Amino acid sequence: KTPPFFHRPSSTLLVCDAVFSVSPQPPAILTDVPEYRKALLFHARDNGKVSQVLEDNEENRIKGWERIVLLFNFFFPGSASVDLGLAPLAKLDLAFPYGWGGWQPVEWKGTERAAFEAFRSGGKPTVLPIIQIILSRGGDGGAAREWVDEVCGWKFDRV
């Protein structure tokens, strides 16, 4: 029996929300679409500079990409302090061109580049942190290990 996420003609294992890898550069969709470039620049701003408008260049895009990867894979990354209280709201600038009034609840500690590289692990595929947490709850992980062993036994050339 062929599982629904294995494409036999191309020998491709289709995986989403379980395994991923991170590139050092933001994906083309984030750099090609102006609205998404704003998101990269929004997250590249310096601490405490709510209204900072950055030059749209490769360095700032990469800085934003690294922070987005850490923030949205860990929610509260160790390389940042997060304040979801009222203090960041008091600093909003509703005219801020990147949106969200420049809301800046995250203060980066200057270690995000090293944290990103450690998380990226040279681009090797890994399991999403939230999936790791879910799989590690309850039991000894035997069911997850059985699933991984079964999948590893399939004849696939690409993931």
Side-chain angles (χ1 to χ4, degrees):
K1 177 181 175 195
T2 301
F5 40 88
F6 180 68
H7 185 250
R8 189 178 301 273
S10 66
S11 299
T12 301
L13 177 64
L14 304 174
V15 181
C16 66
D17 296 341
V19 177
F20 78 107
S21 95
V22 177
S23 69
Q25 303 283 333
I29 191 169
L30 295 182
T31 58
D32 292 349
V33 177
E35 190 65 26
Y36 298 153
R37 281 197 305 269
K38 281 184 183 179
L40 293 171
L41 299 174
F42 181 94
H43 288 284
R45 294 172 300 148
D46 294 324
N47 291 333
K49 302 211 175 156
V50 173
S51 297
Q52 182 181 29
V53 176
L54 297 173
E55 181 181 342
D56 185 0
N57 60 36
E58 184 178 20
E59 180 182 353
N60 286 332
R61 289 177 183 183
I62 289 172
K63 184 178 180 182
W65 169 241
E66 292 172 349
R67 289 176 171 184
I68 287 170
V69 166
L70 293 171
L71 186 60
F72 295 105
N73 278 290
F74 293 103
F75 307 116
F76 299 100
S79 56
S81 297
V82 179
D83 181 355
L84 297 178
L86 296 177
L89 295 175
K91 300 174 186 174
L92 293 182
D93 174 0
L94 299 180
F96 185 62
Y98 298 155
W100 288 66
W103 186 55
Q104 197 174 34
V106 177
E107 184 169 314
W108 296 95
K109 298 177 181 177
T111 58
E112 62 270 19
R113 168 82 27 101
F116 175 81
E117 287 302 326
F119 179 64
R120 198 177 91 67
S121 189
K124 292 188 316 191
T126 188
V127 176
L128 285 165
I130 190 67
I131 301 300
Q132 291 178 29
I133 292 168
I134 291 168
L135 291 176
S136 69
R137 292 192 177 200
D140 61 359
R145 171 58 37 208
E146 286 177 30
W147 178 77
V148 168
D149 289 343
E150 179 182 341
V151 170
C152 287
W154 301 339
K155 305 290 185 229
F156 57 89
D157 297 322
R158 297 185 321 163
V159 177

